[in-house]
Amino acid sequence: MTALLQLSVREIPLRIRQQELTATELVQAHLAWIDRTDPSLQAWVELDHDGALREAERLDRLATRGTVLPLHGVPVGLKDVIDVAGLPTRAGFAPLGERPAQADATIVARLRELGAVVLGKTHTTQLAFADPAPTRNPWNPERTPGGSSSGSGAAVAARHVPLAVGTQTAGSVLRPAAYCGVVGFKPSLGWLPLDGVIPLAWTLDHLGLFTRSVEDAAYTYVALCAHQRLELPLLAEPPRLLLLIDFLELAEPAVAEHLLDVARRFREAGARVEERRLPVDVGLLLAVHHIIMLAEMGALHQQMLEHHPDAYGPRLRSAVEVGQLIPSGTLLHARRLRRRLGAVLDTFLSQADAVLLPTAAGPAPGRETTGDRRFQAVWTLLGTPAISLPSGLTRDGLPLATQLVTRYGHDRHLLHVAAWCERILPGLPPPPLA
Amino acid sequence: MDGQSLLPHSLVLTHDTKANSTNLLAYAIRTPPPGEELPHFPLDNLAAPSAHSAGLQVIVGWSPTMETERTNDQWFTILHTAAELRFGSERAAVLTDELRAMAEAIARVLSEPLTFHAEVPFDFPIERIDRS
């Protein structure tokens, strides 16, 4: 692995600006590494070698003329539910066919405007639900990389790209990030329009970012949102954090112990960490999420299921069918509760800089599943920003992760808090498959 | 008769689990005396006519209280029956675990009363504002 593969999102345009690097060299290095390692990892469903190299050459000509964009030359992978003009959006679902997308999704167009180079499409579970993708976990090929953004998480961990985009309707960004040992950031609901992205459950769908550091996530987020420059960390003093006991009780003992150790480290570094319970039953939040998600899935797939029942994976088909049986009054009840619970939890979240909990109940399980969504789905339901930080390894060498969540719409503040926390946590080495 | 339950408001819900769990449901507002066996109504001869002829007063209308008081098992029965009717018995059998999870979710959500009249009539506003 060359040093070029270790460059961060933020370093790349700086190095190009200083003429220490060209976008073409960088893209060639990443494509060569992917070609060498992806046959075993299977993070990519399609690579666009020619298109990526053409774009890198164009960016190099631009740089020669003195224009260097915020994401100039940054190789990026896109989950295969996101349209990229000229490439098919297969989503692991055969009836969608091989017809290339006519236009870029908004997120892709924005990334291109900023100078990112699209290398290709990363594997997703079928239509971003729960039937596992072929992707392996870079830390252990017999474990799941998580889902549904399986390829995006694995690709960033394996140094195939420093930046990837995924979607999350339950836990599909944060969980793969946790299992693969990278940073996963899910901004607030509605952060960017989802046009050009295949929906799963439209009131729950989020876009999210995979990077190898909080700084890269923050840098990309700010660039995409056209916010003012963000320097990290900016906290005037160590943060106040609420450690959520509810989730420690749901976690595997080793994970709960790990989070207590993480909290101890934060305390020793000056943070105020208080153990608290959510003011709302986690089971109720998950029930509301489950009803809304499956009801929307059932509605979205009504016609497709009638025409192509056998094309569906077993988990997706079951969820769609059950979703079609939910009484309308129940859905309305759940949606109303969502709003009410959101208000209660917004008040709770306002008491601290962020809440602290494990990203997942345990380390990556076997490949027959994509893992447990309970720890992430609560925040997806509420639309709050959430970020997963790699925070250690199990004795078996699998990543463990810590999750931070704050109030809806306070995304940049969450990134500041996460940057502070990241400095306290031990960094992970590259995974064995990298 | 198995699965028989008596709920408040004199709601009578009958369910014959011996007959493949599919023979259900009649709602009636009569609480039977102790020891009286309730009639049950096969799916192909369901509800109002049978209940009426059996001397039960059939409920007209809908009560949220009734909904919130249904148990997980009752919701599972309702969903399973609907699955059989819509997707066939083979698929309904495949869906059993998912149906049970959904039944629990519905029962849990409906146990939370709402005050529709006291809440603004929209569910989840989406704003694209970073308030940091």
Side-chain angles (χ1 to χ4, degrees), chain A residues 113-159:
Chain A
E113 286 169 8
L114 294 166
V117 180
V118 175
L119 297 197
K121 308 295 284 292
T122 54
H123 270 296
T124 174
T125 61
Q126 191 182 57
L127 290 163
F129 194 58
D131 296 290
T135 310
R136 308 274 176 154
N137 189 309
W139 295 85
N140 181 334
E142 300 310 313
R143 301 299 182 110
T144 178
S148 61
S149 308
S150 315
S152 292
V156 171
R159 276 56 178 171

Side-chain angles (χ1 to χ4, degrees), chain A residues 294-382:
Chain A
L294 265 61
E296 293 184 5
M297 289 170 63
L300 273 167
H301 286 273
Q302 180 105 19
Q303 293 180 341
M304 189 71 89
L305 181 65
E306 285 177 12
H307 289 107
H308 305 285
D310 297 332
Y312 282 76
R315 290 185 173 92
L316 178 60
R317 181 172 175 180
S318 294
V320 166
E321 287 175 338
V322 170
Q324 291 177 358
L325 304 175
I326 297 170
S328 57
T330 302
L331 174 63
L332 293 173
H333 200 114
R335 286 176 61 91
R336 186 55 60 94
L337 277 180
R338 179 188 191 184
R339 184 170 64 79
R340 180 195 291 178
L341 298 173
V344 171
L345 282 167
D346 186 65
T347 302
F348 176 77
L349 292 170
S350 71
Q351 297 170 19
D353 290 296
V355 295
L356 178 67
L357 68 156
T359 307
R367 294 181 58 237
E368 69 282 0
T369 175
T370 63
D372 180 353
R373 63 185 179 224
R374 290 175 300 167
F375 287 51
Q376 317 93 44
V378 165
W379 316 111
T380 311
L381 172 74
L382 303 173

